[in-house]
Amino acid sequence: MATLKIFFFVLLIQCTIFTGSSRQLKKSNINIDSYGDNTVNVISFGAIGDGKKDDSKGFKRAWDACDSSTPSPTFLVPQGKTFLLQPLTFNRKHCNSNNITFQIDGRIIAPTKPSTWECNTNCHHWIGLMNFDGLHIQGSGTINGQGDNWWKLSCKDNQKGFMIGHSKNVDIKGLTFEDSPKMHIAFEDSTSIHATQLTIKAPGNSPNTDGIHIQRSTNVSIHNTTIQTGDDCISIGDSSKYINITNIECGPGHGISIGSLGIMGKTEEVEFVHVRNVSFHGTTNGVRIKTWQGGHGHARNIRFEDITSHASTRPIVIDQYYCPHKQCKNQTSALEISNIAYENINGTSHKETAVQLSCSEFNPCRNITMKNINLRNKKQKGKTPSYCLNAHGLRNGKVHPNVPCLDKYDNF
């Protein structure tokens, strides 16, 4: 009899917990049935979603509820709510499940004032996802860094808004990222990353707001994405290779950049990059490779093709004298730039010089090839010159403007 009483008591408690959780979800007008039984809803763990109260603890409690006994869990940020978050890191080492999904259908915002960000030492990133193997980030939601007050500061750190680090087999799809304090998305120390159908937006005059930055990562693909920022739409940094970028709308911004590489004499490397089907709209650059004097390493085996420039300032750029602060000393060493191919690049340039190849006297650019290039100055119908220094290679088919440092060759 005593055992039976205990059974009914436990059953009553379980029913009370389930009913209470269901009531809470009904009040929020959340349809959880479509997400499955393994859904962890941040609303159920104390997140309010009014855009005013700090929801960081609710998100943390929801993440703490995940464990290895939950197969393929879904971490749900529901639609119709705005969640205010302090800097927060989600680490798979805590939730040791495979095939984890972050379903972000609501709106996530950062504190508006930099002074109210709660960081233990420094704000290296706002939202971090670390040490995952099998991660799906998806939804119709928006992640807004509210960076306006950050842009007024003079600090030049490389803070990331949304950072994925030390992870593999990750896909991110469908989300909108807005107004990050610095870089919007960063992939670091990761492999097998697939990003698609993203929208990234910030004002054209917002400093250092790269759309997507890739660093020390391999096998990264970015497709079908629109990026409008105040810095590089996509930037590719050291120790990155096998990068595939296709179907990108870029602008405003600084274009798609390899680098910068070799700052302060560092040895840095990027190779096996393919950029295809990109449209640039009023960007300061189109496709660019930028390296510092005094650096070591290489940028090689890079292909740019099927590119359209709509009044970009410089549609094609190699700059081995990169120095944004104009206080650099001339140095003899330079990264090796070689095996760079440009094919089917058309459109207009905003300034007179549409092609700029500024290569090192001591380590010239080698094996540069151009095929079917047609770039014309938007303002002047006839004159569209190129600038060519210490670059060597071949040109084939129609190449306009003429790039005289490349030898004409009909068969490649």
Side-chain angles (χ1 to χ4, degrees):
M1 188 68 178
T3 303
L4 187 61
K5 288 182 179 180
I6 292 172
F7 170 77
F8 281 114
F9 179 71
V10 171
L11 183 62
L12 177 63
I13 291 175
Q14 290 176 338
C15 290
T16 301
I17 293 173
F18 178 80
T19 304
S21 177
S22 298
R23 285 198 197 103
Q24 194 171 15
L25 294 174
K26 284 180 180 179
K27 288 179 182 179
S28 305
N29 295 318
I30 304 300
N31 179 11
I32 63 169
D33 294 336
S34 61
Y35 294 105
D37 295 334
N38 297 327
T39 297
V40 179
N41 191 322
V42 296
I43 292 288
S44 302
F45 292 86
I48 303 300
D50 63 359
K52 298 177 182 178
K53 184 176 179 180
D54 183 2
D55 291 308
S56 304
K57 290 182 179 179
F59 273 61
K60 189 176 185 305
R61 282 194 293 264
W63 184 243
D64 289 345
C66 175
D67 58 40
S68 59
S69 64
T70 307
S72 303
T74 295
F75 186 89
L76 174 62
V77 181
Q79 62 184 350
K81 297 284 185 179
T82 298
F83 299 93
L84 174 63
L85 291 188
Q86 289 287 344
L88 193 61
T89 298
F90 300 91
N91 197 318
R92 180 183 173 270
K93 290 181 178 179
H94 171 77
C95 177
N96 194 25
S97 292
N98 292 320
N99 199 30
I100 298 172
T101 298
F102 276 70
Q103 183 73 33
I104 303 174
D105 292 325
R107 183 178 177 85
I108 299 174
I109 61 173
T112 56
K113 297 180 180 179
S115 60
T116 62
W117 280 48
E118 297 175 2
C119 308
N120 294 329
T121 53
N122 58 52
C123 293
H124 180 65
H125 59 261
W126 171 36
I127 298 174
L129 295 104
M130 307 290 289
N131 301 302
F132 285 85
D133 183 359
L135 173 64
H136 311 281
I137 307 165
Q138 62 190 32
S140 58
T142 297
I143 298 173
N144 190 309
Q146 303 205 101
D148 182 65
N149 287 316
W150 285 88
W151 304 332
K152 299 171 185 176
L153 302 177
S154 59
C155 60
K156 300 293 184 181
D157 60 3
N158 289 323
Q159 183 201 356
K160 292 88 180 175
F162 192 93
M163 195 268 283
I164 297 170
H166 300 278
S167 296
K168 58 184 177 180
N169 300 315
V170 177
D171 60 77
I172 177 170
K173 178 180 179 181
L175 296 169
T176 296
F177 295 82
E178 297 176 339
D179 296 343
S180 179
K182 299 293 181 183
M183 296 176 179
H184 283 78
I185 303 172
F187 303 137
E188 296 187 354
D189 305 288
S190 296
T191 187
S192 298
I193 309 293
H194 180 66
T196 186
Q197 297 177 25
L198 303 179
T199 300
I200 303 172
K201 298 186 293 185
N205 61 354
S206 56
N208 304 311
T209 53
D210 298 53
I212 299 175
H213 180 67
I214 304 166
Q215 190 88 6
R216 299 181 301 276
S217 294
T218 61
N219 295 309
V220 177
S221 63
I222 304 169
H223 304 308
N224 304 321
T225 289
T226 298
I227 305 174
Q228 302 169 326
T229 69
D231 209 302
D232 295 323
C233 290
I234 300 172
S235 55
I236 303 170
D238 177 39
S239 299
S240 297
K241 58 185 178 180
Y242 301 108
I243 311 298
N244 189 11
I245 297 168
T246 59
N247 297 325
I248 306 296
E249 296 288 331
C250 170
H254 294 182
I256 293 179
S257 294
I258 311 296
S260 62
L261 302 174
I263 188 172
M264 298 178 66
K266 291 181 180 179
T267 298
E268 299 187 317
E269 301 174 350
V270 171
E271 58 187 336
F272 300 110
V273 177
H274 190 187
V275 177
R276 181 170 58 90
N277 290 339
V278 176
S279 291
F280 295 106
H281 303 270
T283 52
T284 56
N285 306 284
V287 289
R288 175 171 61 158
I289 300 172
K290 51 181 178 176
T291 69
W292 295 78
Q293 293 186 75
H296 304 273
H298 58 253
R300 65 190 183 194
N301 301 320
I302 298 166
R303 183 174 184 83
F304 304 104
E305 64 177 326
D306 301 331
I307 307 293
T308 302
S309 170
H310 301 278
S312 299
T313 302
R314 300 179 300 172
I316 296 176
V317 181
I318 294 178
D319 185 3
Q320 284 195 282
Y321 300 89
Y322 180 70
C323 180
H325 49 69
K326 306 302 179 186
Q327 296 177 353
C328 300
K329 297 179 180 179
N330 288 329
Q331 300 185 56
T332 56
S333 62
L335 273 84
E336 170 199 323
I337 295 180
S338 62
N339 300 334
I340 314 297
Y342 303 90
E343 184 172 352
N344 298 332
I345 300 180
N346 301 282
T348 59
S349 63
H350 180 66
K351 286 193 175 180
E352 202 172 274
T353 302
V355 176
Q356 176 186 327
L357 306 179
S358 301
C359 299
S360 167
E361 178 184 356
F362 302 96
N363 198 356
C365 301
R366 296 183 295 107
N367 297 331
I368 309 299
T369 63
M370 290 191 178
K371 182 178 182 179
N372 300 333
I373 310 296
N374 186 12
L375 294 168
R376 298 185 180 276
N377 183 268
K378 182 181 179 181
K379 297 179 180 180
Q380 301 180 19
K381 293 183 179 180
K383 188 177 181 182
T384 308
S386 65
Y387 177 81
C388 202
L389 177 68
N390 303 316
H392 306 286
L394 301 172
R395 53 190 166 94
N396 174 258
K398 182 178 181 180
V399 175
H400 183 90
N402 182 42
V403 184
C405 59
L406 305 181
D407 296 330
K408 184 173 177 56
Y409 191 73
D410 293 330
N411 297 308
F412 74 80

